[in-house]
Amino acid sequence: MRHIRLIIIALSVAVFSAHAFEGTRFEHKDWYLACDNTGTCRAAGYAPAALGYGMAIMFSREAGPATQIDAKLFLQLNDGQALPPSVTFLIDNQDLGPIYIDKGSQLNAIQVQALLAVVTTNAVIEVGAGRQRWGISGHGASAVFRKMDEYQGRSNTPFAVVAKGSKLESQVSPAKAPLRLAAQAPLANGVTLEVGSAAYNEVLQLLTTHVAASELDFELQSASLETAELGEGKRFIGACWFMAYNALCNHWLADKNRPNQLIALGSDGFYDDGMARQDRKARGYGDCWENQAWVFDGQSMVPTLISSTGPCRGIAGGIDPMPTYITDVTFSFKQ
């Protein structure tokens, strides 16, 4: 009877620790957090604005008990200054060794642990080369790491970053595998139609007949039109409008079995190699990117990626991708 009870308790703990990772973003002061649907979190702290350079340190941690935390430095100097091959990592002016920019800019394990021990305090965190120093802000770190602990279900455990406690780390939610999607590859890649061609006029007529102007942000006559044959009589149609820094696209599904109906698709961007992708550039002190992608599953376009390269903080293009939603896509081919 005792053994049965223990098994029931163990199963209860397993059920209790199960966690649905749905993806989240959180920003507070000079820190930013993005956690994806597998449970992996990425937190980044930035240099205060208007210091004449861009700097960030990004921490990455997978979900699951006792997972390690990795950290990477991002540094961009203004006025055409070249980056040195390495910089010295400093906490409160104490030399903690080099970070090799020409070898990936990764912090070693000792540097990561030293940084995590003080990042939520008023410690001065810098890197330097010669007489030059560049630093990140600690403002917002505590809130971001607390949110990260909560998301991964490790609050009140010994391995939490901020919210440490005595709860067993074995109860922390394990990582989730990304959703597996079966995508239908097109018979041929997307083709941008030449304005005034017979194919362009045919698609334009189809859209103007079946799409209400109220459903569009711009006139169809000013759009760039593209199509892709998806097989089984289905065709992808895209209309894109170009703006100063980005493009906005509307997508539809045409089916020869339903010639009088177009199905609006909830995707955006340009269609290429079976995937519609929207890479939108934000404007700020250093451009950064918002990225989304969709694939056709035989019926509609379904999302496969939601990601960004963090806030615009003086680092051209932003830092490494910080997704909130990822998938595992496999393509099948149909005639």
Side-chain angles (χ1 to χ4, degrees):
M1 186 70 181
R2 173 178 168 78
H3 292 295
I4 295 174
R5 248 183 110 183
L6 287 174
I7 291 171
I8 293 173
I9 291 171
L11 289 173
S12 299
V13 169
V15 171
F16 176 77
S17 64
H19 189 79
F21 297 120
E22 297 180 350
T24 189
R25 295 183 185 182
F26 177 72
E27 188 170 2
H28 188 63
K29 297 182 180 178
D30 294 321
W31 280 72
Y32 178 81
L33 174 71
C35 298
D36 67 31
N37 53 308
T38 71
T40 295
C41 287
R42 297 166 179 87
Y46 293 81
L51 292 182
Y53 62 88
M55 178 173 160
I57 295 179
M58 185 173 79
F59 300 82
S60 302
R61 189 178 206 177
E62 295 180 355
T67 52
Q68 71 176 26
I69 302 178
D70 298 319
K72 181 178 180 179
L73 171 70
F74 298 84
L75 179 62
Q76 180 167 328
L77 307 180
N78 293 346
D79 302 323
Q81 295 182 66
L83 291 175
S86 67
V87 293
T88 301
F89 181 52
L90 303 137
I91 295 178
D92 288 336
N93 212 35
Q94 180 183 355
D95 186 340
L96 292 175
I99 299 173
Y100 295 99
I101 293 176
D102 60 353
K103 296 181 180 179
S105 301
Q106 295 287 336
L107 279 67
N108 63 42
I110 294 175
Q111 291 170 334
V112 173
Q113 292 306 312
L115 181 51
L116 289 173
V118 301
V119 72
T120 59
T121 70
N122 294 323
V124 178
I125 301 165
E126 298 173 305
V127 297
R131 295 183 178 181
Q132 292 183 293
R133 298 283 180 91
W134 308 281
I136 67 165
S137 167
H139 296 151
S142 181
V144 160
F145 279 117
R146 188 175 298 277
K147 182 71 71 174
M148 180 172 167
D149 288 337
E150 291 174 358
Y151 184 83
Q152 295 188 324
R154 65 178 83 250
S155 297
N156 301 315
T157 70
F159 286 88
V161 178
V162 175
K164 294 183 182 295
S166 58
K167 175 184 169 183
L168 294 178
E169 184 75 8
S170 59
Q171 296 182 28
V172 171
S173 302
K176 302 294 184 183
L179 179 67
R180 300 192 67 178
L181 293 176
Q184 183 176 324
L187 297 182
N189 205 4
V191 176
T192 300
L193 304 178
E194 182 180 353
V195 176
S197 67
Y200 177 93
N201 290 333
E202 182 265 326
V203 171
L204 181 62
Q205 178 63 33
L206 183 66
L207 292 176
T208 53
T209 301
H210 297 290
V211 179
S214 60
E215 297 178 11
L216 301 167
D217 293 304
F218 304 97
E219 293 182 351
L220 284 169
Q221 285 74 9
S222 62
S224 172
L225 302 181
E226 66 172 340
T227 65
E229 296 301 326
L230 300 174
E232 299 181 332
K234 295 175 182 175
R235 178 168 54 157
F236 170 90
I237 298 174
C240 297
W241 296 266
F242 297 92
M243 294 168 280
Y245 300 102
N246 298 298
L248 175 67
C249 302
N250 287 160
H251 298 158
W252 298 270
L253 180 66
D255 190 336
K256 70 177 183 180
N257 297 316
R258 291 179 288 180
N260 295 321
Q261 181 181 2
L262 287 179
I263 299 174
L265 303 174
S267 50
D268 195 353
F270 298 97
Y271 190 84
D272 186 45
D273 290 333
M275 179 175 291
R277 186 176 177 100
Q278 173 60 269
D279 300 307
R280 182 161 287 145
K281 181 183 288 188
R283 299 301 297 165
Y285 186 58
D287 292 333
C288 53
W289 291 90
E290 296 281 341
N291 314 104
Q292 296 186 71
W294 300 259
V295 293
F296 183 65
D297 67 354
Q299 299 297 324
S300 186
M301 298 293 283
V302 294
T304 66
L305 173 71
I306 302 173
S307 184
S308 79
T309 58
C312 299
R313 285 293 192 99
I315 301 172
I319 60 176
D320 285 352
M322 302 177 74
T324 55
Y325 183 71
I326 61 172
T327 56
D328 182 7
V329 179
T330 57
F331 285 94
S332 63
F333 296 84
K334 294 185 179 181
Q335 298 299 322

